[in-house]
Amino acid sequence: MQEHEKLFKDFLKAKGLKLTLPRRVILDTIFTYHQHFNVDALYDVIRKDHQNVSRATIYRTMPLLVESGLIKQSLRCQSKDHYEHIYGHSDHLHFLCIKCGNIIEVESKEIEKTLKKLAATKNFDISDYNLGAKGVCESCQKKIL
Amino acid sequence: MQEHEKLFKDFLKAKGLKLTLPRRVILDTIFTYHQHFNVDALYDVIRKDHQNVSRATIYRTMPLLVESGLIKQSLRCQSKDHYEHIYGHSDHLHFLCIKCGNIIEVESKEIEKTLKKLAATKNFDISDYNLGAKGVCESCQKKIL
DNA sequence: GCTACTTTTGCGAATGAGTCTCAAAACTCT
DNA sequence: AGAGTTTTGAGACTCATTCGCAAAAGTAGC
């Protein structure tokens, strides 16, 4: 059993829940194929090998994965919630290109530090960051429109 | 005509569009009553005095207001898009309390500066920031669960 | 102010991501 | 294997947001 499976299993167990086959398939698929993803795309990938995992189950599993700390909710894009890995990935922020939809990831230690400092001044207990910007990426700027 | 009306009118004109009565009502209501708001709440307020402004028109006007730079899209909360003023408000970031739903606003010059610097290294042309964190606010931390 | 033209509006229908229900299936423990 | 719980898939459902359309309102030129 891989590391992330073990973590998820422990998390579930602590809540009296089970690491079932569909949950395992979802978790493994996420950690095999995807960086950023949304449920729809995930569903398509999963369906290739497992025709019997339903959308509902994926939707039901996402909050568990988020709560477990393995993934987090990320940008909302084209009216869909997106997710990204946390486990095994260092904090970073996103630049979302509004022309091509690509996401550029950038290390963000400094911003993170500042944010924590600010939160401390307000006695706010941060559970999750959301840092980024929308704009136009380098290659889209070069395209003549 | 108030300042923000003039700005919006000029913006619309430049696009060959018109500052109609419904658009004016929407704009004025936003700038009179609201800091953060969502379309639903805005609709209720507007309806008190103007029974003939439809939801569809509000939905259609929001992107124009965003594009004009008067307001921006903000946190998404309870499955609803939220908006906030920009015109007349300095940049700030949000701490959203996941217990009580309150939003704490904090000045963020420093983070902004860092973000701009990072964007510059990637040649990314920022049009809109999105900075914030979720967590638990001071008073909710004190509540015993 | 009136005409001709374009944009806008309100209404209700449509869309679509995400949630819920429920009976059947899968786990877990003994 | 059986009892008791949690999960699941399928499809119905919700509800924010968008769309289509015919009527209404703005605008520019007379």
Side-chain angles (χ1 to χ4, degrees), chain B residues 20 23 52-54 57 60:
Chain B
T20 58
R23 283 179 181 156
N52 50 344
V53 172
S54 77
T57 299
R60 282 186 285 233

Side-chain angles (χ1 to χ4, degrees), chain B residues 13-121:
Chain B
K13 198 166 198 175
K15 291 179 72 94
L17 306 177
K18 303 157 189 171
L19 181 55
T20 58
L21 185 58
R23 283 179 181 156
R24 196 128 131 207
V25 167
I26 293 166
L27 177 62
D28 287 347
T29 305
I30 289 174
F31 273 80
T32 307
Y33 286 96
H34 291 276
Q35 287 284 342
H36 285 257
F37 63 94
N38 58 269
V39 169
D40 237 46
L42 181 58
Y43 178 77
D44 288 345
V45 175
I46 286 176
R47 273 292 173 138
K48 282 186 194 145
D49 296 319
H50 307 269
Q51 311 76 0
N52 50 344
V53 172
S54 77
R55 258 203 183 74
T57 299
I58 300 179
Y59 275 111
R60 282 186 285 233
T61 303
M62 301 314 290
L64 293 172
L65 288 166
V66 170
E67 202 190 334
S68 78
L70 286 166
I71 67 173
K72 65 175 274 192
Q73 233 180 322
S74 176
L75 299 154
R76 190 179 164 84
C77 206
Q78 295 160 305
S79 305
K80 289 179 184 128
D81 286 338
H82 284 236
Y83 298 87
E84 63 181 285
H85 298 203
I86 294 180
Y87 183 68
H89 293 259
S90 65
D91 277 320
H92 55 265
L93 51 83
H94 302 286
F95 292 136
L96 168 64
C97 178
I98 55 180
K99 301 239 165 171
C100 65
N102 269 161
I103 293 169
I104 300 168
E105 298 190 351
V106 191
E107 284 279 330
S108 58
K109 292 269 174 271
E110 196 180 341
I111 284 185
E112 204 187 310
K113 215 188 302 171
T114 316
L115 196 64
K116 273 185 189 153
K117 227 187 310 173
L118 277 172
T121 69

Side-chain angles (χ1 to χ4, degrees), chain A residues 2-51:
Chain A
Q2 302 181 53
E3 187 66 16
H4 54 258
E5 278 187 347
K6 179 158 176 19
L7 287 169
F8 193 41
K9 183 170 189 177
D10 290 346
F11 164 81
L12 291 170
K13 197 165 199 175
K15 290 181 73 95
L17 305 178
K18 302 159 190 169
L19 181 55
T20 58
L21 186 58
R23 284 178 181 156
R24 196 128 131 208
V25 167
I26 293 165
L27 177 62
D28 287 347
T29 305
I30 289 174
F31 274 79
T32 307
Y33 286 96
H34 291 275
Q35 285 286 341
H36 286 258
F37 63 94
N38 58 271
V39 170
D40 238 46
L42 182 58
Y43 178 76
D44 287 345
V45 174
I46 287 176
R47 272 295 173 133
K48 283 186 193 141
D49 295 320
H50 307 270
Q51 311 76 1

